[in-house]
Amino acid sequence: MVMIILVVLTLIISGLINWIQNDSNWSVKQQKTTSAINFAEAAIDRGTWKLQSSTVTWALAASGITIPNYNFDKTFTDIPGGSYRIKFTPTVNGSVTTVTVTAEGRDNSTKEVRAISAVYRNQTIYSAMMSGGGVTWAQGLGMYWGPIISQGDIQLMDDNVARRYFPRKYAKGVVVGTANYPRDTNGLVTPNTDGVEWWSEYQGVPNVPILDFTAMRSSAAASGTLNVYGCASSGQYTINGTVVPGWDARGTCDSTYPNHAIHLGNSTNFYAARGLNPNLNYVWYWDGDVSLEGDGYNGTLSTSLRGSVIVRGNLTIDSSGDMVYVGPVPANAWQEEQKLLVNTYDTAASGEYPADIGYHKSAATWHFGVDSWNEPGLGGGWVNTVGIQGFVYVGGNLNIINYLDINGAVWVNGSVISNYNNPSAFCGIFYDDTLQVPALNVILLRQSWQEIGPSNTAWL
């Protein structure tokens, strides 16, 4: 019995020693493998830093011009224990250009190589509603197809907007609802998301774009669309007792304004213009306040502007829109509308939001002014004619009196103020993710990230 026990113990001890040796080898191998992938991730960080370093660098990479040290032509050794290399590759898909950062990391001791591929897009205007600080969303605005992304808090100011559980909301600060429709009720303490509609303390919020106001003002000056005021019958306009300069379609601009585009059109024209091409986009720029005026919904005197509307002061909307056209819908627009009301979600039915064609599906295009849709809890058969096709920047407050739809994006640095308490009457913002606005910095949005097999290119 003693001999049998000794034999068994010998076998067990021998197996334990072998297992410990193998486990040690496995641990070392796993450590080296982890080290290699860490070097690859460091390469991704360096590559994105390089792409964001200047608008010129991004333009070179996006056009396929080789950037020295970023074509697997240099081995970086600034991190002890390993090395890495980086390569930029552009891809053009229609009007969208992306740059793939291929990063390879190598452990010095084992020479093991791991590789990562990440795809980035320079998207200056990355959400339907933007702000350099926090975002206040009040009645009078409805947002579709794109998220709200805030550098600070996102404040849902009333039940009319808080009852809408779309689009998605990402804040570096806190997403705040109302008493009847709350969102984040514990501030920055976890949990910071419901996993569907809102995210507080979100680390993925991109930097705010630095708009090139000088370039845009120069463009407006060249096209005669700088500080356009003074239709013949309206040199001024009164808003809440305050007299401000007005641009009033209820009057007729006379021959003293040969380059003045009258924001007056009909269902077949983008806008009636003198000296301007109705098929081109323009920068409409005001150094101070401006009012876009006309008559109400389905009226005959409406606003129809294409391009960028830059208002350094306050913008007042007292007009309906008039443009009818087929426009693009962002590829993943349905992701913004997964949750519709507090207990209502996207279903297989169509028409629950604009361009909805079923469960987690959205159409590629939308016929503004023709296609209709329904909104849960409010009604249906709505048709949206567009008043502004492009980007809108408001340095002050956005005052809403009449309801004009926007196909593009809106940046409001002040507050959104509406004098109309009707949940079914609002300015709709239909996000266009193809917008390009002159900026002094590069805003990278990551489209994908995945580990790939290492390349066959020899290391230098």
Side-chain angles (χ1 to χ4, degrees):
M1 291 295 295
V2 172
M3 293 298 294
I4 292 172
I5 292 172
L6 289 174
V7 170
V8 171
L9 288 175
T10 300
L11 293 173
I12 292 174
I13 292 172
S14 176
L16 285 173
I17 292 173
N18 186 61
W19 180 82
I20 291 172
Q21 290 175 336
N22 287 336
D23 184 66
S24 178
N25 291 335
W26 293 333
S27 296
V28 171
K29 185 178 187 310
Q30 180 63 34
Q31 182 180 3
K32 301 302 182 184
T33 298
T34 301
S35 178
I37 196 69
N38 287 340
F39 288 123
E41 289 176 342
I44 288 290
D45 290 341
R46 189 184 189 106
T48 55
W49 166 81
K50 183 64 177 179
L51 287 175
Q52 293 181 100
S53 62
S54 70
T55 54
V56 173
T57 300
W58 170 264
L60 292 173
S63 61
I65 297 175
T66 299
I67 298 176
N69 303 331
Y70 293 88
N71 192 40
F72 282 173
D73 55 341
K74 177 177 179 177
T75 300
F76 294 91
T77 58
D78 53 303
I79 303 177
S83 56
Y84 59 86
R85 60 184 184 178
I86 306 163
K87 183 176 183 178
F88 295 153
T89 307
T91 300
V92 179
N93 184 8
S95 62
V96 176
T97 298
T98 59
V99 173
T100 299
V101 179
T102 303
E104 295 186 350
R106 182 174 62 174
D107 183 88
N108 283 347
S109 59
T110 64
K111 305 303 181 185
E112 181 171 6
V113 178
R114 301 282 291 276
I116 297 172
S117 173
V119 179
Y120 294 91
R121 176 181 175 185
N122 179 20
Q123 192 164 345
T124 307
I125 308 302
Y126 48 74
S127 68
M129 171 65 82
M130 306 174 65
S131 175
V135 169
T136 60
W137 183 14
Q139 63 186 14
L141 281 181
M143 281 171 264
Y144 308 91
W145 301 349
I148 304 174
I149 301 178
S150 173
Q151 304 296 318
D153 296 339
I154 296 176
Q155 297 266 351
L156 307 181
M157 304 300 291
D158 54 76
D159 284 352
N160 282 348
V161 295
R163 64 177 291 280
R164 295 179 167 96
Y165 281 74
F166 59 88
R168 292 179 296 181
K169 304 162 185 68
Y170 300 91
K172 278 188 178 178
V174 180
V175 181
V176 181
T178 63
N180 292 326
Y181 302 100
R183 297 306 196 272
D184 191 346
T185 58
N186 57 334
L188 296 179
V189 179
T190 57
N192 298 128
T193 178
D194 67 348
V196 179
E197 184 233 356
W198 62 266
W199 287 260
S200 295
E201 201 178 17
Y202 187 70
Q203 300 304 310
V205 172
N207 294 328
V208 65
I210 303 173
L211 301 180
D212 192 345
F213 291 114
T214 300
M216 289 188 283
R217 193 179 190 279
S218 296
S219 176
S223 61
T225 54
L226 172 64
N227 292 327
V228 178
Y229 293 113
C231 284
S233 67
S234 177
Q236 61 187 28
Y237 189 67
T238 302
I239 299 292
N240 297 330
T242 301
V243 177
V244 298
W247 184 20
D248 193 346
R250 288 169 289 200
T252 302
C253 293
D254 59 26
S255 59
T256 60
Y257 301 97
N259 291 323
H260 184 111
I262 310 168
H263 66 305
L264 160 63
N266 54 51
S267 60
T268 59
N269 296 324
F270 286 112
Y271 50 75
R274 293 195 181 116
L276 297 178
N277 187 334
N279 297 314
L280 296 180
N281 294 336
Y282 291 91
V283 176
W284 303 84
Y285 196 107
W286 287 270
D287 289 307
D289 300 340
V290 70
S291 301
L292 299 179
E293 303 159 24
D295 46 19
Y297 181 66
N298 282 335
T300 58
L301 305 175
S302 303
T303 296
S304 301
L305 300 177
R306 291 177 58 182
S308 296
V309 175
I310 308 298
V311 181
R312 304 304 297 271
N314 301 313
L315 171 62
T316 296
I317 294 176
D318 190 8
S319 170
S320 59
D322 196 58
M323 287 188 274
V324 178
Y325 62 94
V326 177
V329 177
N332 297 315
W334 62 266
Q335 293 181 347
E336 308 304 327
E337 327 288 338
Q338 296 180 68
K339 190 173 184 179
L340 302 174
L341 301 177
V342 61
N343 292 314
T344 303
Y345 293 79
D346 183 24
T347 70
S350 299
E352 294 175 322
Y353 58 86
D356 176 26
I357 56 174
Y359 179 67
H360 286 186
K361 294 180 181 178
S362 50
T365 60
W366 180 253
H367 198 161
F368 290 98
V370 174
D371 292 342
S372 63
W373 58 286
N374 305 318
E375 183 171 321
L378 285 184
W382 294 358
V383 175
N384 302 89
T385 52
V386 174
I388 300 175
Q389 183 186 8
F391 174 64
V392 179
Y393 173 87
V394 183
N397 296 329
L398 175 61
N399 304 299
I400 301 172
I401 298 176
N402 262 320
Y403 296 92
L404 168 151
D405 293 317
I406 298 167
N407 177 206
V410 176
W411 180 339
V412 179
N413 271 328
S415 298
V416 177
I417 303 169
S418 174
N419 296 320
Y420 203 67
N421 189 25
N422 184 345
S424 63
F426 52 85
C427 295
I429 301 176
F430 299 83
Y431 179 55
D432 180 357
D433 65 349
T434 66
L435 288 179
Q436 294 294 329
V437 177
L440 301 176
N441 60 340
V442 176
I443 306 296
L444 290 187
L445 296 187
R446 192 174 72 188
Q447 308 291 296
S448 66
W449 186 103
Q450 62 179 334
E451 185 173 356
I452 60 175
S455 68
N456 295 324
T457 304
W459 285 70
L460 301 177

